[in-house]
Amino acid sequence: ASHRGIRIDRRGLRVQNGQPGVYIRSGNMVYFRKIEILLEDEHYILVSSNYSETNQILMYDEVIVDSGGMELYDKQII
């Protein structure tokens, strides 16, 4: 079976208020984006590429995988 979507390093996965998502970097800002997980293994998660209320990631978003120990939050300036 073949699946289409956006592949994300599993280390970028975060849960906020029970909602899976990722933090992305855009310029000098950090944003939380909800994701809809289609498949996962120990290294990667495959998320839907269809933008919606429950899936807010876009193809070329820069997902933060390692925050260097820094606590991340939505609309944070870095």
Side-chain angles (χ1 to χ4, degrees):
S2 169
H3 295 277
R4 297 180 67 86
I6 301 170
R7 190 174 84 159
I8 299 172
D9 189 307
R10 183 173 189 78
R11 295 173 297 166
L13 179 63
R14 303 287 184 269
V15 177
Q16 194 175 72
N17 299 323
Q19 171 68 53
V22 293
Y23 283 101
I24 66 159
R25 178 179 175 192
S26 180
N28 66 338
M29 297 288 288
V30 171
Y31 298 99
F32 183 76
R33 296 290 186 246
K34 296 175 184 175
I35 57 171
E36 200 175 295
I37 299 173
L38 302 175
L39 287 173
E40 57 187 312
D41 68 19
E42 64 271 14
H43 302 292
Y44 294 100
I45 51 179
L46 186 70
V47 302
S48 174
S49 56
N50 297 326
Y51 190 89
S52 69
E53 178 65 32
T54 57
N55 192 73
Q56 302 169 333
I57 193 163
L58 299 171
M59 181 65 78
Y60 296 104
D61 283 346
E62 184 182 338
V63 174
I64 299 171
V65 174
D66 182 5
S67 63
M70 188 171 66
E71 189 66 33
L72 298 173
Y73 57 90
D74 194 39
K75 299 180 181 78
Q76 176 180 10
I77 298 172
I78 55 172

